[in-house]
Structure formats: C-alpha cells, structure tokens
Amino acid sequence: GQQLNQSPQSMFIQEGEDVSMNCTSSSIFNTWLWYKQDPGEGPVLLIALYKAGELTSNGRLTAQFGITRKDSFLNISASIPSDVGIYFCAGQRYTAGGTSYGKLTFGQGTILTVHP
Amino acid sequence: DTAVSQTPKYLVTQMGNDKSIKCEQNLGHDTMYWYKQDSKKFLKIMFSYNNKELIINETVPNRFSPKSPDKAHLNLHINSLELGDSAVYFCASSQDLAVAYNEQFFGPGTRLTVL
C-alpha cells in the first residue's frame, strides 16, 4: 500500500535548538498533515496543509506543502522540553468524486528527545 | 469532558479469547475510525464509518468486526485473538467526509496485549 517515508526516525537535541523533519511520497497527496503524539496519548493535529507550496505556521512550528505535492517538512524553532514526543506526517488523497473518505496514510514517525 | 473516549485503556488477554473495545465521541461528528499502532509506532487505518455505515475496510482480518450502534459510538470486537494482534488501538472521529480535510480527533488509545 501507499507509504510515506518520514525522516529522521529519531532526533536527540538540546533545548533551544531548531528541528527539521520531512516526509516524502512516491505519489501525490492533496492534503498534508502533521501530528504530535505524547506518551500514552493519541495523536493531536499540529498543522494542516491544503495547497501545493503552502507555508503555514503555528507558534514555533512551521510546515510546508511541497510544490510537487509529494513531500512536506516540519520545522520546530527554539525547542523546549515539552516538544518531546513522536511527530507524524500524514497524507490524504481525494477520490475522483472529490470526497476524501477520510483515509489518512501516516509516516513512520520521528521520535524527538529534547535535553534541558 | 473527553471528546473521544475509549475503554478499556489496557487489555491483557490470552490467545484465542474474544474481546471488545468501546469508543464514544461527544463531538457530534458523523465519521469515526479505528487505527492500529504497532510496536514500531506505525499507525494504520483499519475501518471508518460514516453515519453508522462502513466506508473503509483496510483488508483487516474478518476476526475484527466493528459495530456502530449510533453515530456517537464505534466499537471494535476481536475474535480468536492472536499474538500479532498486540498493539495500541486508536479510535478517532471527524465532522464528516467533506472535500476539505476535517480534523480527526483521536482517543487516548487502548493497549491490547495478547499472551
């Protein structure tokens, strides 16, 4: 089935550093999403991207929808300890009728560790 | 109040048993989902229901049977549990299946361990 390749798999950084992670696909997606999962919790949406080339920020987070619609990146600036968690990219593709049916395809996740 | 809730939080059982996981959402959403997260944290959709109607069934073994008694509930029943069923199962809901992406709200997960 369709897979998203997310990298890096894990990151160990110092508090205050910037972080960058990305996701690539061999196929086009109409929507790109970035989620964060805290330990013992379900994923929470951070940023949703709807148009190729779109650059969106949410506080210290910035994400971009690649021009080819086959990739996306997420940047976190000035990391803090509470940024620790697993970050997932996810893509969604519309059907020919324009109804997405809600199916999300997830990347493998990036485990982020922030040292104080 | 919790938007999407699941019970139980933890489930430990023997191979061959039958078990159910319950999910409820109080967001008034039309669409609900079940995802499986394996030991490597990979998340994969299993089922989705819209207005109690099955929309997505991602080639899940027929030992897994979702049931939606109403729009606010989507339960997952698993027959003849196998070791490979051990995972964290997440329920999620979204407003509907409109063209524009509708945010999916995830529950806290149910960690199933099959011994």
Side-chain angles (χ1 to χ4, degrees):
Chain A
Q2 176 63 47
Q3 288 190 347
L4 297 182
N5 298 310
Q6 185 173 347
S7 64
Q9 288 188 340
S10 61
M11 301 183 74
F12 297 85
I13 62 171
Q14 294 289 329
E15 183 176 359
E17 289 184 359
D18 297 342
V19 172
S20 184
M21 57 192 80
N22 67 79
C23 221
T24 59
S25 169
S26 57
S27 301
I28 288 172
F29 283 97
N30 299 104
T31 304
W32 282 91
L33 306 140
W34 286 93
Y35 282 84
K36 183 191 178 193
Q37 184 178 16
D38 290 329
E41 301 291 334
V44 174
L45 182 67
L46 297 174
I47 292 179
L49 302 157
Y50 301 102
K51 297 179 182 178
E54 179 181 354
L55 183 71
T56 297
S57 292
N58 179 6
R60 294 178 294 107
L61 278 60
T62 302
Q64 185 158 32
F65 191 142
I67 291 292
T68 64
R69 295 198 284 165
K70 294 182 179 181
D71 63 308
S72 178
F73 72 74
L74 174 70
N75 287 342
I76 306 173
S77 62
S79 59
I80 58 178
S82 63
D83 290 335
V84 164
I86 306 177
Y87 291 79
F88 290 98
C89 63
Q92 190 176 51
R93 191 179 291 112
Y94 299 151
T95 64
T99 304
S100 70
Y101 296 121
K103 178 181 174 181
L104 294 180
T105 300
F106 281 85
Q108 304 96 322
T110 296
I111 301 172
L112 179 63
T113 303
V114 180
H115 295 287
Chain B
D1 283 340
T2 304
V4 181
S5 59
Q6 295 178 229
T7 54
K9 176 74 171 173
Y10 300 96
L11 185 53
V12 181
T13 188
Q14 298 286 332
M15 267 198 313
N17 284 350
D18 303 338
K19 290 294 179 184
S20 292
I21 306 172
K22 296 185 177 182
C23 177
E24 177 181 3
Q25 54 95 3
N26 62 8
L27 298 167
H29 289 168
D30 288 346
T31 310
M32 297 184 72
Y33 313 80
W34 277 108
Y35 287 86
K36 179 181 180 180
Q37 186 173 45
D38 62 23
S39 59
K40 296 184 178 179
K41 305 300 184 184
F42 183 64
L43 267 166
K44 192 175 192 304
I45 191 167
M46 300 173 67
F47 301 101
S48 78
Y49 270 72
N50 187 62
N51 282 321
K52 303 192 298 177
E53 178 184 349
L54 178 66
I55 301 297
I56 294 174
N57 181 342
E58 283 291 298
T59 60
V60 176
N62 57 16
R63 296 182 297 105
F64 290 79
S65 54
K67 286 185 172 51
S68 181
D70 54 60
K71 287 198 310 183
H73 296 84
L74 181 61
N75 304 322
L76 184 64
H77 188 74
I78 315 171
N79 290 325
S80 304
L81 278 156
E82 301 176 356
L83 292 176
D85 297 332
S86 295
V88 181
Y89 292 84
F90 287 100
C91 177
S93 75
S94 66
Q95 183 66 53
D96 54 33
L97 298 175
V99 173
Y101 173 73
N102 286 281
E103 180 177 353
Q104 293 186 20
F105 293 83
F106 284 78
T110 295
R111 181 175 293 278
L112 172 65
T113 303
V114 182
L115 304 175

